[in-house]
Amino acid sequence: MKYKAPHIITEGGVAYQLGKLRNHEIQYDFKKMLIYLDAKGKLLFGKKFKIHSEDQRILYKLCSYFIKDRDSCEKFGIDIEKGLLISGPVGCGKTSLMKLLRHMVPHQRPYEMIPCRNVVFGFNHLGYKTIEDYGNSCFFCFDDLGVEPPGRFYGKDCNVMGEVLLSRYELYLNTKRKIKTHATTNLNAQELEERYGNRVRSRMRELFNLVAFDKESRDKRK
């Protein structure tokens, strides 16, 4: 589907203009993007949803990534060819933001949100076909990486998400148009290495841009 005006998004009969179109290039306005994200968030998650002022800095980074603002991303050390690894404490809003931000760029290829525990449940039921299925050319965001249960199929243990990430890395490496993988996690870098090993952690550095919430971020679900 082609979008003649991807910077104008209509939700609930209201048109939100996220910027201006000049010479076939969108010049986004962050304040207008926040207005849209707040409105879309309320539609997705209920009237209690709000954009918190303390999250605007990290949200600016994420918005810059999604709209492919190369100059801003360069300042933040973000590679727009890589995926995102969003880390932060429980309840800080990682999952909600990743569910929300994909709606802001309807002209870009969407990703599917997949809870990591569902990937493991699939493996425990179907075996290695599950790992093959997630090593395909779709875009995924794996939610709650690192706290999924152990994988076991016909008596054999498997670090399922570790294997999926290795498959995604091979896919990323061997495609001209990079196949992106995103993820959210409550774990820090050391905990991820303990969970998946040094080899997977090394591949993750090449797969992902790390965008971290402050470790003191409050639980917004309370």
Side-chain angles (χ1 to χ4, degrees), residues 66 68 102 105-111 136-139 177-180 182:
F66 277 97
K68 298 183 178 180
R102 57 185 172 174
V105 282
H107 54 298
Q108 292 183 24
R109 186 174 176 180
Y111 52 86
N136 64 23
S137 58
C138 293
F139 283 18
R177 293 188 69 187
K178 299 298 186 185
I179 304 297
K180 290 184 180 177
H182 305 301

Side-chain angles (χ1 to χ4, degrees), residues 28-139:
Y28 283 94
D29 182 320
F30 183 56
K31 288 183 179 178
K32 290 180 179 178
M33 291 157 74
L34 287 179
I35 291 169
Y36 167 72
L37 290 171
D38 186 68
K40 182 64 176 178
K42 285 178 169 58
L43 288 173
L44 288 175
F45 309 118
K47 291 182 179 179
K48 289 185 178 180
F49 176 85
K50 65 179 287 190
I51 302 288
H52 295 268
S53 57
E54 65 263 33
D55 294 338
Q56 287 195 19
R57 187 172 178 275
I58 199 167
L59 199 49
Y60 185 77
K61 282 186 185 181
L62 293 173
C63 285
S64 298
Y65 172 85
F66 277 97
I67 65 174
K68 298 183 178 180
D69 180 342
R70 290 181 183 274
D71 291 339
S72 293
C73 284
E74 197 172 314
K75 290 176 188 173
F76 295 130
I78 291 174
D79 182 345
I80 61 172
E81 298 300 326
K82 293 182 180 182
L84 295 169
L85 176 62
I86 313 294
S87 73
V90 172
C92 69
K94 304 179 297 293
T95 301
S96 297
L97 286 183
M98 288 305 286
K99 286 180 177 178
L100 176 60
L101 283 161
R102 57 185 172 174
H103 295 282
M104 193 178 66
V105 282
H107 54 298
Q108 292 183 24
R109 186 174 176 180
Y111 52 86
E112 187 179 352
M113 295 289 296
I114 305 288
C116 290
R117 66 179 184 278
N118 289 10
V119 180
V120 175
F121 293 156
F123 174 85
N124 292 348
H125 181 60
L126 299 170
Y128 288 88
K129 181 182 181 300
T130 300
I131 294 172
E132 291 174 16
D133 288 345
Y134 287 109
N136 64 23
S137 58
C138 293
F139 283 18

Side-chain angles (χ1 to χ4, degrees), residues 197-216:
N198 180 262
R199 180 168 171 244
V200 173
R201 178 69 188 125
S202 173
R203 302 296 187 270
M204 287 174 72
R205 289 188 189 98
E206 297 183 59
L207 261 183
F208 298 122
N209 296 286
L210 176 62
V211 180
F213 278 82
D214 190 287
K215 61 182 180 181
E216 302 300 326

Side-chain angles (χ1 to χ4, degrees), residues 142-156:
F142 296 109
D143 194 29
D144 269 347
L145 182 68
V147 295
E148 69 276 3
R152 192 170 178 82
F153 185 69
Y154 278 96
K156 288 188 176 181

Side-chain angles (χ1 to χ4, degrees), residues 172-222:
Y172 172 81
L173 214 59
N174 297 313
T175 50
K176 287 183 180 179
R177 293 188 69 187
K178 299 298 186 185
I179 304 297
K180 290 184 180 177
T181 305
H182 305 301
T184 71
T185 185
N186 302 332
L187 306 187
N188 60 33
Q190 185 179 342
E191 290 168 330
L192 286 169
E193 188 164 324
E194 289 170 3
R195 181 75 168 79
Y196 298 112
N198 180 262
R199 180 168 171 244
V200 173
R201 178 69 188 125
S202 173
R203 302 296 187 270
M204 287 174 72
R205 289 188 189 98
E206 297 183 59
L207 261 183
F208 298 122
N209 296 286
L210 176 62
V211 180
F213 278 82
D214 190 287
K215 61 182 180 181
E216 302 300 326
S217 291
R218 60 194 172 90
D219 188 340
K220 300 177 181 72
R221 296 177 300 188
K222 291 181 179 178

